[in-house]
Amino acid sequence: MKRAGGIAGLSIPFAAGVAACSFPNMSFTLAAGVSALSLAALSVLVLHLLRRGVGYLPYMAAYLILGMFCASSHRLCLPFPPGCISRFAASCLSSLQDIITSMPFGNEDTPSLLVALLTGDRSGLKPSTVAMFRSCGASHLLALSGLHLGVIYMVVSRLFSLLGGSPAVARARFGVVCMLSSFYALMTGLGPSIVRALLFILIGETCRLDPERSRSATRTLAAALTMQLAFSPGQITSVGFQLSYLAMCGIVLVHPHLDAWYPSGGRSPLRRVWSLVSMTISCQLFTAPFSYAVFHSFPRWFLLTNLLALPLTSLLMMSAVCGVILSAAGICPQLLLKVVDALSGALLSVLEIISGM
């Protein structure tokens, strides 16, 4: 089984099984019937798999039927009412938004942009600003995803790197990274993209605890896909879910090959530029056909947008996080506020220029 592909090969039939039973008009009776039949078929297959010498095909069939069972049985379950943790997370989100809006920025567009970038709430943005992001192909910057969790991951990792690399520090780092990332995902609503990014972090951090364990981006992608669909099969119909995994397929499957085209290694500025270019092209190869089919549009200047807007957005978010933490502590550094204002204005100006091209 391992030679045939392992989890990377089994996640595809599992996702196919989920998709097969995720059409919106499935009735309760049909869902119950499919659940019963798939459970019976799965039981027979499991008994067959217990025998020695079976090939890889029965495992694929088992995961296909398991995906069908997960999707159909999900239709039979009542939604859970929000618990105390969800209410606490919503309260923290509201407090975060209040801190951002109360900070004395000089640019009136900065607070609403930061609220959108850090919490996913776009209600404060002007319709023209949202349209500008969309026309430039920068809507993904406003969608909570790996970019946003990456800021938390980077800050925590840098802080723990100062403490050394002992096993105790590694375990503490694992706990802090996982708890902060999970709470941020819960606080911002557990959207499909943010959950995918969270699963990548949790799987990666778990593997880091065992230095001898081999890590593979393809297996991480497959495991995250399987876990996310197992817990929430209905997300497979979400456009955000589909675009998120298509983008990750480009990064995992194509980006390493394009990135290797650069003639030399090192950390030179041109090397970093090419890495960003190759990653952008890799994502677009997978997401552009789907986006055009769904939205009937294609951003002509997507490469320029990502080359300029992505670094500005990353710097803006890291500066904003530092500003929010200091403001929550009762400190309001004017220099940092000016930096955040300047980065916010630069980002909006760049997008305005590109959208007018």
Side-chain angles (χ1 to χ4, degrees), residues 129-286:
T129 302
V130 177
M132 183 173 63
F133 270 86
R134 187 181 298 113
S135 65
C136 294
S139 296
H140 62 283
L141 299 179
L142 297 176
L144 296 178
S145 62
L147 173 65
H148 304 77
L149 276 181
V151 172
I152 298 175
Y153 185 81
M154 184 180 300
V155 171
V156 174
S157 298
R158 293 289 173 84
L159 290 176
F160 273 94
S161 65
L162 302 175
L163 302 178
S166 66
V169 171
R171 288 192 293 270
R173 177 183 178 277
F174 169 81
V176 172
V177 166
C178 292
M179 285 190 295
L180 284 179
S181 301
S182 300
F183 185 74
Y184 179 77
L186 179 64
M187 184 177 67
T188 52
L190 293 175
S193 298
I194 202 74
V195 170
R196 190 269 308 157
L198 174 63
L199 288 173
F200 266 65
I201 289 177
L202 296 180
I203 295 170
E205 287 299 300
T206 302
C207 292
R208 284 176 64 96
L209 291 179
D210 184 5
E212 297 182 357
R213 185 183 182 90
S214 61
R215 285 180 285 173
S216 166
T218 305
R219 288 198 293 268
T220 300
L221 173 63
L225 174 65
T226 304
M227 293 169 64
Q228 189 165 355
L229 289 180
F231 284 103
S232 185
Q235 288 191 353
I236 199 169
T237 61
S238 165
V239 174
F241 174 91
Q242 295 163 4
L243 283 173
S244 179
Y245 275 95
L246 284 173
M248 287 309 304
C249 284
I251 292 174
V252 170
L253 301 177
V254 179
H255 176 244
H257 303 286
L258 288 183
D259 196 44
W261 287 2
Y262 194 81
S264 61
R267 299 172 62 88
S268 65
L270 288 178
R271 181 71 182 86
R272 295 183 179 182
V273 169
W274 171 248
S275 182
L276 182 56
V277 168
S278 60
M279 184 177 68
T280 302
I281 294 174
S282 301
C283 290
Q284 287 295 326
L285 286 175
F286 279 76

Side-chain angles (χ1 to χ4, degrees), residues 16 51 70 172 188 276 297:
R51 299 168 53 190
C70 286
T188 52
L276 182 56
S297 63

